[in-house]
Amino acid sequence: MPSPSPSPSPSTVAVGRAPGRVNLIGEHTDYNGGLCLPFAVDLATTATVRRRDDDRLVMRSREAPAGDEQWTAYVVGVVAELRRLGWDVPGLDVDVTSTVPLGGGLSSSAALECAVATAVAGLLGQALDGATRREVAEACRRAETEHVGAPTGGMDQLAAMLGADGHALLVDFADRDRPQVTPVPLPVSRDGLALLVTDTGVRHVLADGDGGYAQRRRECAAGHPRRLRHVTRENERVRAAVEAIDARAWPRLGDLMTASHGSLRDDYEVSVDRLDVVVDAAIGAGALGSRMTGGGFGGCTITLVAEKRLGVVRDAVDAAYRARDWAAPGHHVVQPGRGAEVLSAVE
Ligand code: GLA
């Protein structure tokens, strides 16, 4: 169902913000009709959209390297898909800033898409209720798949649009057209634990149609047994992880995360050296669990660690990098945060 028409009091300029995401567990399951458990993080992309008198789309970003215009395809795609929903999107000046590392596995692309869509909703006076947020998430997924050529599965956009403070989202893709989303309270800091994201520094390119991501999708569709073994077991791990979280059985959750990494490394074969080195160093230094997060081939890990061991774990990872002469990785302690929001809309 298309969204209802926007209210008749549109603005001239609006600002939208959408977060990046970490997937706690459940990787490469979304496009396989399975389960995942992402949460929105407190790193975000902000888009300012200003109504133009003509029908042009003029885009600027402070983060994109000079000459790199690939990111603009996401914005063009989002505007086209919102128009397909029946939104009356005018010509726009679009300004983007971001604290989500670009191409770093925290879904900078979904944050960009959802920030632009949210800003446009603010501009048009379009209320963002739960149903509209899902529609926007799906429009953004289509923008990425059809306009950019990255055949992603939908987890990232749902996390960016529906994220809730202090919660992960259990997403069940059994019905691809109507994924079921259940918020799961994730009270790690109450129990003295932290969620540490480590950026390996290796960039991946999902938009590469011949890349590993698209290839894995094809292998699953063709019934490759080892790939599908990962998917079946990963779905079981997500269910077990939700039980562990409900019971606040954190060591059990940690073990499931580490097992997920092993399966992504050995059965799904989407890990790389630096991801494995971070995971091994973190576990070696006493983390409860650690795994790559996102599509793989680079990007970030997520580590569950007692707050009082954070420094030791970070140091161990840095030392493992130094021993190999690799440039130092980045670390961020993240909190499960809220989804996209309109920050301001001015008439
Ligand atoms: C990327 C995609 C998601 C999902 C993950 C792997 O982040 O955008 O849809 O498939 O990889 O779990």
Side-chain angles (χ1 to χ4, degrees), residues 20 26 42 56 71 74 110 121 123 147 169 191 206 210 213-214 220 225 251 289:
D42 37 5
R56 292 172 62 211
W71 69 276
Y74 292 91
L123 192 80
H147 297 258
L169 301 176
D191 287 355
L206 271 189
D210 292 328
Y213 186 91
C220 288

Side-chain angles (χ1 to χ4, degrees), residues 21 23 26-31 152-156 206 213 294-295:
R21 66 93 191 93
N23 188 18
E27 217 66 81
H28 289 278
T29 46
D30 57 357
Y31 56 83
T152 59
M155 162 174 76
D156 308 339
L206 271 189
Y213 186 91

Side-chain angles (χ1 to χ4, degrees), residues 95-116:
D95 261 286
V96 174
T97 63
S98 188
T99 56
V100 189
L102 291 182
L106 299 184
S107 204
S108 51
S109 48
L112 168 63
E113 294 147 18
C114 295
V116 170

Side-chain angles (χ1 to χ4, degrees), residues 49-69:
V49 298
R50 188 179 300 274
R51 194 178 283 275
R52 289 179 61 92
D53 293 336
D54 55 26
D55 58 2
R56 292 172 62 211
L57 211 48
V58 179
M59 296 166 275
R60 269 191 309 245
S61 157
R62 269 178 241 164
E63 274 73 31
D68 176 359
E69 280 166 15

